[in-house]
Amino acid sequence: MNEIKQLLESNRKWSEAQKSNDPSFFESLVARQTPRYLWIGCSDSRVPANQILNLPPGDVFVHRNVANLVIHTDFNCLSVLQYAVEVLKVKHIIVCGHYGCGGVEASLVGGTKGLIDNWLGHIRDLSQKYDDELSQLSGEQKSARMCEINVLEQAENVRRNSIVKEALKRGQDLHVHSLIYSLKNGLLKDLSQH
Ligand SMILES: [Zn+2]
């Protein structure tokens, strides 16, 4: 069986399992989309939003890119943000990074990886901004701290964004969170509490 056939078979089994657990599962999902959370995370295959949060389809609106960046001119991310805030009216925007992020680490070691260097340049700018702190660290510690800094800075970009600022001005119930995920134990940590 080729790989796509295997995927379709896997999907069919999943669909059947959902229906046997809850016969109205798909009908209620089709009827409306009212997620409470917007997740802005890394594209890394090991960090899937719904599975980590243990939430079913319908609960999380998701945007993922390499190294979970929120760039002021990225119309893909901004369109997701606007739709989530103004149409879906999510209550929580979660920027989630992860330790051992390949994008963050690539930006620290330098070298060239082609087109993606331009995207990772945003993290390189941040590593220069935090050079005093980062130069005291090395290896895994340095990478881990840079991953945390990146999440905090991207969440700050969300807060500074006009879509979010306007929503808060209107009195919309909206909160921005900075989380980081550990591949080693599968746990999330709230960086805003540290
Ligand atoms: Zn990553």
Side-chain angles (χ1 to χ4, degrees), residues 66-67 69 98-113 116-150 180:
V66 173
L69 300 186
H98 65 103
Y99 294 116
C101 180
V104 170
E105 290 182 346
S107 75
L108 285 176
V109 296
T112 56
K113 290 194 162 48
I116 198 168
D117 288 346
N118 299 285
W119 182 251
L120 298 179
H122 294 291
I123 310 177
R124 231 168 271 125
D125 292 345
L126 284 181
S127 66
Q128 279 168 11
K129 180 177 166 187
Y130 287 88
D131 187 51
D132 284 353
E133 181 184 350
L134 291 167
S135 60
Q136 315 287 320
L137 305 169
S138 62
E140 203 174 321
Q141 273 188 324
K142 186 174 184 177
S143 160
R145 184 58 190 143
M146 189 62 232
C147 289
E148 292 176 350
I149 288 169
N150 184 43
I180 193 154

Side-chain angles (χ1 to χ4, degrees), residues 41-47 65-68 96-104 147:
C42 183
S43 298
D44 192 304
S45 64
R46 299 164 295 179
V47 195
N65 61 42
V66 173
N68 45 273
C96 184
H98 65 103
Y99 294 116
C101 180
V104 170
C147 289

